[in-house]
Amino acid sequence: MHVYAAPEAGARIEAMDIDAPELSGSEVLIDVTHSGVCHSDVHCREGFFDLGSAGKLPLSASGVTYPAVFGHEIVGTVAAAGPDAKVRPGDEKFIVFPWIGCGKCQACREDRENYCPQGRNLSVQLNGGYAEQVWVPDERYLIPLGDLDPAWGATLACSGVTSYSAVNKVLPRGADDTIAVIGAGGVGLMAVALLHALGHRRIAAVDVNDDNLAAARELGATVTFNSRADDPVAGLVEAAGGRLSAAIDFVNNGATASMAMRALEKGGTLVSVGLCGGEHTYPTTVLALNLISILGNFVGSLPELKALVELAKSQDLPRLPISERPMSAEAVNEALDALEQGRAKGRTVLTN
Ligand SMILES: [Zn+2]
Ligand SMILES: [Zn+2]
């Protein structure tokens, strides 16, 4: 199997060949046709996640072995299937659900595999989609693409389902309740579009970039706020016409988390999504007096991805600009470099 892999922690991506697996049970081998490039792969290539004052979490602590193949926004066709699988090789395209659990624990039995403590995520513990082929442990993780554009469909597996899962943690909300989306990059803009598509109308988009805020307004944000302001909490509350009922923080560094917490109304909810590193500093007494909830969000579940794909098939969700380019080690590195340096526009999807 030809893959584009990091030979060791912190190394740049290289082309290499690895052994193709023998398929048993309901395992499938997928010919990757489209593979989206996600910002979390920047951290994966660096070899660690920033935990603020707790230091760095090396990828190896999450069970990553090298060479490591990243990439978890995968669309492809079935190349081969194990003896118990019902799918057969053919032209039909599938979105691959990458957030796979152990299959045995309570979370997995409840179809919440993204909560599994023994996760086997594609692109982390298992090889991902920067490759010509990817091994998937069960055909149940394949979702028919249907008529969706394959490059865009690929992005539903991470940026899409992450937004969808975060949005579901704050809905339903009253018509007058403001939900803030902090960070109007790719995933945040998807959340704005989903909130709008699911019928919510008071959406405040927050970013430091006015172009991103203009894009958010086009996708349904009713209020936009540039948080470079001197007093971002007061400014955000004023712009939103009152305190926030909920905030979804796609940046989630110390500054954005603090701003969001202090702008919430009594009973408000903060959903923390971004992996940018930082600390919560908030008076614990105020947390209790104000009945504040803080929820973490990591990607989404298989039922959530299926529901999102159905939503995408039933109505035209606004989509971010996507640029497609042929997959190679150089293309993977360049796409990750662009994300790392903040000069990526929309999403890059690599193709075979
Ligand atoms: Zn991702
Ligand atoms: Zn599990």
Side-chain angles (χ1 to χ4, degrees), residues 128-277:
Y130 299 147
E132 289 181 356
Q133 293 184 316
V134 63
W135 175 81
V136 180
D138 196 294
E139 64 176 345
R140 66 191 291 267
Y141 300 113
L142 306 182
I143 302 171
L145 179 71
D147 294 330
L148 295 178
D149 169 58
W152 185 69
T155 70
L156 297 180
C158 180
S159 63
V161 80
T162 299
S163 299
Y164 186 74
S165 187
V167 160
N168 275 332
K169 288 182 172 69
V170 301
L171 289 179
R173 277 281 192 298
D176 293 332
D177 292 338
T178 301
I179 300 175
V181 172
I182 299 169
V187 191
L189 287 175
M190 182 73 176
V192 170
L194 285 171
L195 283 166
H196 188 79
L198 294 168
H200 195 75
R201 286 298 173 264
R202 289 184 68 96
I203 307 166
V206 183
D207 202 286
V208 293
N209 179 318
D210 286 330
D211 291 342
N212 289 353
L213 293 174
R217 203 173 266 282
E218 280 182 19
L219 295 178
T222 45
V223 169
T224 54
F225 176 68
N226 190 317
S227 55
R228 284 195 197 278
D230 286 341
D231 184 348
V233 175
L236 173 56
V237 171
E238 191 189 335
R243 291 188 163 272
L244 309 173
S245 176
I248 308 174
D249 189 353
F250 290 101
V251 182
N252 194 27
N253 62 26
T256 59
S258 172
M259 171 180 68
M261 293 285 287
R262 286 167 170 78
L264 287 175
E265 65 182 14
K266 247 186 173 179
T269 299
L270 170 65
V271 179
S272 301
V273 187
L275 303 174
C276 285

Side-chain angles (χ1 to χ4, degrees), residues 16-352:
M16 58 183 80
D17 290 299
I18 59 172
D19 292 337
E22 286 282 330
L23 298 180
S24 62
S26 302
E27 298 169 1
V28 284
L29 190 66
I30 296 294
D31 276 331
V32 177
T33 61
H34 296 76
S35 195
V37 181
C38 174
H39 194 273
S40 72
D41 285 334
V42 173
H43 304 297
C44 287
R45 188 179 62 168
E46 282 180 318
F48 64 87
F49 285 91
D50 181 352
L51 301 186
S53 67
K56 294 175 177 177
L57 175 72
L59 228 52
S60 54
S62 307
V64 172
T65 55
Y66 290 90
V69 183
F70 309 129
H72 46 254
E73 294 186 341
I74 305 165
V75 160
T77 57
V78 174
D84 299 336
K86 293 184 188 69
V87 291
R88 286 288 153 236
D91 294 334
E92 186 185 8
K93 284 192 165 67
F94 294 93
I95 299 172
V96 180
F97 177 76
W99 313 114
I100 296 170
C102 71
K104 301 183 187 102
C105 72
Q106 184 75 19
C108 286
R109 288 201 303 273
E110 292 173 356
D111 258 350
R112 297 181 292 114
E113 293 184 56
N114 54 321
Y115 287 74
C116 175
Q118 307 285 336
R120 302 180 292 161
N121 300 327
L122 300 184
S123 86
V124 188
Q125 294 85 4
L126 297 177
N127 283 342
Y130 299 147
E132 289 181 356
Q133 293 184 316
V134 63
W135 175 81
V136 180
D138 196 294
E139 64 176 345
R140 66 191 291 267
Y141 300 113
L142 306 182
I143 302 171
L145 179 71
D147 294 330
L148 295 178
D149 169 58
W152 185 69
T155 70
L156 297 180
C158 180
S159 63
V161 80
T162 299
S163 299
Y164 186 74
S165 187
V167 160
N168 275 332
K169 288 182 172 69
V170 301
L171 289 179
R173 277 281 192 298
D176 293 332
D177 292 338
T178 301
I179 300 175
V181 172
I182 299 169
V187 191
L189 287 175
M190 182 73 176
V192 170
L194 285 171
L195 283 166
H196 188 79
L198 294 168
H200 195 75
R201 286 298 173 264
R202 289 184 68 96
I203 307 166
V206 183
D207 202 286
V208 293
N209 179 318
D210 286 330
D211 291 342
N212 289 353
L213 293 174
R217 203 173 266 282
E218 280 182 19
L219 295 178
T222 45
V223 169
T224 54
F225 176 68
N226 190 317
S227 55
R228 284 195 197 278
D230 286 341
D231 184 348
V233 175
L236 173 56
V237 171
E238 191 189 335
R243 291 188 163 272
L244 309 173
S245 176
I248 308 174
D249 189 353
F250 290 101
V251 182
N252 194 27
N253 62 26
T256 59
S258 172
M259 171 180 68
M261 293 285 287
R262 286 167 170 78
L264 287 175
E265 65 182 14
K266 247 186 173 179
T269 299
L270 170 65
V271 179
S272 301
V273 187
L275 303 174
C276 285
E279 300 278 313
H280 274 292
T281 48
Y282 190 79
T284 52
T285 302
V286 180
L287 190 78
L289 292 175
N290 283 356
L291 303 100
I292 300 293
S293 302
I294 307 175
L295 301 172
N297 189 90
F298 174 65
V299 299
S301 67
L302 180 58
E304 283 174 321
L305 181 56
K306 287 180 176 173
L308 174 61
V309 171
E310 280 310 305
L311 183 69
K313 286 176 178 172
S314 68
Q315 62 172 290
D316 248 348
L317 294 176
R319 30 190 92 178
L320 305 172
I322 290 178
S323 48
E324 295 183 39
R325 57 176 299 191
M327 198 182 306
S328 66
E330 195 186 317
V332 175
N333 280 317
E334 282 174 4
L336 292 174
D337 291 346
L339 283 169
E340 189 169 35
Q341 294 157 13
R343 53 184 170 78
K345 294 259 183 292
R347 205 73 164 170
T348 297
V349 175
L350 304 171
T351 59
N352 284 316

